[in-house]
């Protein structure tokens, strides 16, 4: 398959069908429309006992399938994808859902009809709730319903039917209105080079799976995509968020050249990944990894990460049956610390809420969950939860520095209270009370008060995803606004500048752990604004290190100041392409 991996720019023209980039890279292939293959169940059953047994067998088969897919994703170190399948298993076991289907079977309905109606009714109820998390759960439930209906079909039903290859090496750009996780089950990576969708957003489960698989993905392409026919030759450009239909020979040659150059660059980056990264004028920049599991930690080491810049501890326990105890935190973090072989790790305390929900937490429904009980605010309703985590972290014995990162801090009083709590718990356990404590800068008030926070924090880590959301007043889970959710907006850059300036007054260092740190166009901007640590997905570490080595720190500082005066994110990106070309 002709696929180019992420880079600062493909050099392709800025025309074509505009969309939103959900997974980077460039792919050349033939468009093929995925078409729904979920069977239509008969309404009448063939006997209550037979239909009950059919439903039981189908649920068991899908549970085994989901377990296998979750294990396979974990083996590929695709933690986010594994989490999706684990969550679907939990939905499958919902006793209320199974009871609703059983009631309809008892009334004479077929297993397929009963299951479909039960899932539709539950999904409709969830969709009617104001909480966006529940609406997303409804989509997961409907997807799960499709899986079970396929299992109940007499001869089964394959979720994706691909045409026979026209020639050796023939690859497909798979298109749909919007994919769901079950649609992508068993996706043939040797045939499918990219995913393109008329609808959807970059945070959808299909987008997550595309990123884990390492294939380009474009969403929100709209009606222009829907007008394209099967067999149309296309170039899916996940870097510039464009789909080029019926490209001419010149454009095909440019894309193929980009693919070859990216492959060569990727190999060179991997060879140099374990060396430290410094700018051309000698300024060191630490390139760390964002992780959410033990496998992620091993993957970070394998890709040359200097450290772990963000351990998302909630991902370790999100799909469990109960709240983690102190011993659970100690065991999981100790294993990760051991796997890092002396590298430092920044451990973020549980950041549950907004778009991350844990069934065991029983959070109250919120009209605006992104503005509600998340991060350290959870202590207002579940103080024991964070106390247990802090006790667990303080018991870890790591050969490298272990630092605690507090999410959703908005003012100095919160930081002082948490520092005092950490000291008290350390004294109680007889451990080091001077463990480093940092603040995650993701709330605009924290960025604007960075000079005050820096007096009491040991470091800052900027979460650009949420900082962008809160600065621009755009819900990061809202697909219709996905194209405007750009961390290179000058208002967001001014927040970052305020953070680094405030930190510098007290000699504190600043890292970035949001998606912006892995954006090749943004790397020189962040370096120029005074960021000294970039934490990215492990697979991006080699490329980010290579990008840093090609930069002049002095030039980045000068140019970054100019960018703050530009009027839009698009203007910033255009300037970055001129200042720091690939």
């Amino acid at each position: 398959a002709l696929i180019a991996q992420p880079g600062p720019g493909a050099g392709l023209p800025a025309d074509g069908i505009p969309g939103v980039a959900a997974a980077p890279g460039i792919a050349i292939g033939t468009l093929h429309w995925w078409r729904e293959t979920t069977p239509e169940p008969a309404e009448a059953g063939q006997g209550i006992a037979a239909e009950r047994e059919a439903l039981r067998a189908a649920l068991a088969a899908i549970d085994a399938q989901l377990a296998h897919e979750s294990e396979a994703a974990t083996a590929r170190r695709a933690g986010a994808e594994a989490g999706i399948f684990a969550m679907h298993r939990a939905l499958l076991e919902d006793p209320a859902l199974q009871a609703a289907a059983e009631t309809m079977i008892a009334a004479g309905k077929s297993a397929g009809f009963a299951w479909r109606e039960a899932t539709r009714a539950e999904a409709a109820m969830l969709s009617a709730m104001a909480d966006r998390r529940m609406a997303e759960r409804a989509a997961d439930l409907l997807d799960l319903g499709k899986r079970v209906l396929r299992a109940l079909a007499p001869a089964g039903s394959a979720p994706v039917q691909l045409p026979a290859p026209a020639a050796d090496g023939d690859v497909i750009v798979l298109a749909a209105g919007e994919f769901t996780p079950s649609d992508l089950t068993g996706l043939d990576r040797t045939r499918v080079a990219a995913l393109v969708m008329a609808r959807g957003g970059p945070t959808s489960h299909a987008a997550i799976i595309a990123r884990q698989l390492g294939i380009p993905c474009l969403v929100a392409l709209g009606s222009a995509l829907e007008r394209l026919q099967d067999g149309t030759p296309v170039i899916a450009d996940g870097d510039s968020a464009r789909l080029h239909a019926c490209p001419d020979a010149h454009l095909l040659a440019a894309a193929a050249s980009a693919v070859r150059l990216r492959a060569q660059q990727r190999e060179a980056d991997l060879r140099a990944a374990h060396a430290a990264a410094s700018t051309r004028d000698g300024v060191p920049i630490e390139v760390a990894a964002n992780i959410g599991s033990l496998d992620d930690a091993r993957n970070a080491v394998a890709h040359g990460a200097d450290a772990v810049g963000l351990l998302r501890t909630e991902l370790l326990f999100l799909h469990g049956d109960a709240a983690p105890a102190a011993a659970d935190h100690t065991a999981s973090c100790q294993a990760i610390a051991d796997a890092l072989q002396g590298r430092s790790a920044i451990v973020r305390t549980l950041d549950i809420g907004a778009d991350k929900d844990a069934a065991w937490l029983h959070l109250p429904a919120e009209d605006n969950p992104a503005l509600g009980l998340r991060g350290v605010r959870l202590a207002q309703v579940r103080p024991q939860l964070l106390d247990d985590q802090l006790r667990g972290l303080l018991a870890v014995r790591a050969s490298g520095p272990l630092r605690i990162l507090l999410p959703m801090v908005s003012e100095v009083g919160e930081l002082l209270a948490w520092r005092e709590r950490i000291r008290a718990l350390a004294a109680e356990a007889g451990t080091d009370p001077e463990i480093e404590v940092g603040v995650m800068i993701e709330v605009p008030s924290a960025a604007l008060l960075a000079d005050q926070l820096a007096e009491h924090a040991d470091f800052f880590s900027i979460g650009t995803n949420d900082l962008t959301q809160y600065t621009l007043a755009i819900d990061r889970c809202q697909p219709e606004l996905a194209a405007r959710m750009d961390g290179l907006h000058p208002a967001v850059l001014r927040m970052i500048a305020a953070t680094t300036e405030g930190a510098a007054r007290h000699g504190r260092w600043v890292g970035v752990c949001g998606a912006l740190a892995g954006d090749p166009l943004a790397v020189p901007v962040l370096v120029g604004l005074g960021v000294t640590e970039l934490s990215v997905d492990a697979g991006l570490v080699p490329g980010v290190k290579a990008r840093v080595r090609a930069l002049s720190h002095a030039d980045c500082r000068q140019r970054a100041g100019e960018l703050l005066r530009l009027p839009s994110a698009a203007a910033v990106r255009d300037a970055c392409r001129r200042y720091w070309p690939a």
Side-chain angles (χ1 to χ4, degrees):
L2 286 176
I3 303 176
Q5 292 304 311
L12 300 183
D15 53 9
I17 301 171
V20 175
I26 299 173
I28 304 170
T30 302
L31 191 79
H32 175 72
W33 278 94
W34 174 88
R35 290 177 175 85
E36 179 63 66
T37 58
T38 303
E40 182 71 22
E43 181 174 352
Q46 301 298 313
I48 294 174
E51 296 299 337
R52 280 177 174 163
E53 176 57 25
L55 181 60
R56 185 204 62 77
L59 293 177
I62 297 303
D63 184 65
Q65 186 184 95
L66 288 167
H68 173 75
E69 289 169 3
S70 182
E71 290 167 4
T74 299
R76 294 196 308 274
R77 296 171 177 168
E81 185 181 351
I84 292 169
F85 296 131
M87 184 265 289
H88 280 204
R89 289 188 74 192
L91 288 175
L92 193 70
E93 297 165 0
D94 182 358
L97 188 63
Q98 293 187 20
E102 287 278 357
T103 298
M104 280 185 272
I105 289 174
K109 307 301 183 185
S110 72
F113 183 89
W115 180 258
R116 187 188 68 181
E117 295 306 302
T119 53
R120 283 180 176 178
E122 179 73 10
M125 182 184 70
L126 293 172
S127 296
M129 299 176 68
D131 190 338
R132 176 171 289 276
R133 292 172 300 173
M134 294 300 102
E136 291 172 351
R137 188 67 54 84
D140 288 319
L141 191 57
L142 290 173
D143 186 43
L144 190 62
K146 291 197 300 185
R147 278 184 181 265
V148 175
L149 287 178
R150 288 172 184 146
L152 285 165
S157 179
V160 179
Q161 299 287 347
L162 301 181
D168 288 343
D170 178 43
V171 295
I172 286 166
V173 173
L174 198 60
E178 187 170 3
F179 290 108
T180 63
S182 73
D183 297 335
L184 305 178
T185 300
L187 192 69
D188 186 351
R189 286 287 317 281
T190 65
R191 298 290 317 285
V192 178
L195 300 176
V196 293
M197 293 179 262
R199 300 181 298 279
T203 61
S204 70
H205 285 166
I208 290 171
I209 291 173
R211 288 194 290 272
Q212 298 278 18
L213 293 174
I215 61 176
C217 179
L218 294 171
V219 299
L221 288 161
S223 59
L225 172 63
E226 295 172 330
R227 288 194 291 270
L228 297 182
Q229 301 296 313
D230 273 352
T232 303
V234 295
I235 299 171
D237 184 351
D239 295 335
S240 301
R242 292 290 190 276
L243 181 70
H244 300 275
C246 301
D248 59 24
H250 175 75
L251 186 54
L252 281 171
S257 176
V259 170
R260 288 191 296 271
L261 289 174
R262 296 284 182 81
Q264 295 167 7
Q265 185 63 53
R266 176 67 175 168
E267 291 176 6
D269 293 348
L270 282 169
R271 288 194 295 269
H274 291 273
S278 296
T279 61
R280 296 200 314 267
D281 42 357
V283 176
I285 303 294
E286 185 175 74
V287 181
N290 297 332
I291 69 171
S293 69
L294 177 57
D295 283 335
D296 286 350
R298 294 169 177 150
N299 199 29
V301 172
H303 280 82
D306 300 323
V308 163
L310 177 65
L311 169 54
R312 302 180 176 101
T313 57
E314 63 277 358
L315 298 185
L316 298 169
F317 307 106
L318 210 56
H319 304 292
D321 297 324
D328 298 322
H329 288 291
T330 301
S332 58
C333 289
Q334 185 68 60
I336 287 171
D338 293 343
L340 293 179
Q341 303 172 13
R343 292 167 176 80
S344 64
I346 295 174
V347 183
R348 182 175 68 186
T349 58
L350 293 168
D351 188 18
I352 299 174
D355 58 337
K356 287 173 289 188
D357 189 16
W360 47 260
L361 191 55
H362 305 297
L363 285 174
E366 298 180 81
D367 289 338
N368 294 296
L371 305 179
L373 292 169
R374 56 172 303 198
V376 294
R377 299 173 181 179
L378 279 176
Q380 293 178 218
V381 292
R382 295 286 296 276
Q384 190 64 38
L385 187 68
L386 293 186
D387 271 5
D388 283 345
Q389 178 167 32
L390 292 172
R391 286 190 177 96
L393 295 179
L394 290 167
V396 173
R397 296 294 172 260
S399 54
L402 190 72
R403 304 178 174 110
I404 293 175
L405 179 63
L406 302 173
M408 291 299 289
V409 170
S410 59
E411 60 185 23
V412 176
E414 286 178 299
L415 172 59
L416 291 174
W418 281 106
R419 290 218 70 142
E420 184 55 37
R421 186 61 184 150
I422 291 169
R423 289 192 188 98
L425 292 173
E428 172 189 296
T431 57
D432 181 11
E434 299 307 318
I435 187 170
E436 290 186 46
V437 178
V439 168
M440 196 162 184
I441 305 294
E442 51 195 334
V443 179
S445 64
L448 296 173
L449 297 175
D451 57 335
Q452 295 179 13
L453 289 165
E455 190 174 351
H456 306 283
D458 294 300
F459 64 94
F460 290 147
S461 185
I462 304 175
T464 53
N465 299 355
D466 273 322
L467 184 61
T468 302
Q469 169 178 244
Y470 296 131
T471 300
L472 302 183
I474 293 176
D475 186 342
R476 58 189 285 193
C477 298
Q478 174 57 267
E480 287 79 8
L481 297 174
R484 298 180 60 185
M485 183 67 182
D486 194 331
L488 280 179
H489 192 288
V492 180
L493 297 183
R494 290 188 184 198
M495 290 290 181
I496 295 171
T499 301
T500 56
E501 290 165 8
R505 293 181 194 176
H506 297 277
R508 311 302 188 192
W509 62 270
V510 179
V512 171
C513 60
L516 207 61
D519 183 339
L521 282 180
V523 168
V525 184
L526 297 174
V527 169
L529 291 176
V531 170
T532 58
E533 183 236 36
L534 300 168
S535 192
V536 300
D537 290 343
L540 299 180
V541 167
V544 172
K545 283 191 170 184
R547 183 68 164 153
V548 167
R549 295 183 188 117
L551 300 173
S552 158
H553 189 268
D555 174 67
C556 290
R557 287 189 63 183
Q558 177 187 340
R559 299 290 194 184
E562 299 172 12
L563 298 177
L564 300 181
R565 296 190 290 272
L566 294 179
S568 67
V572 171
R573 288 192 176 275
D574 287 343
C576 289
R577 292 187 182 96
R578 294 195 308 272
Y579 295 158
W580 303 287

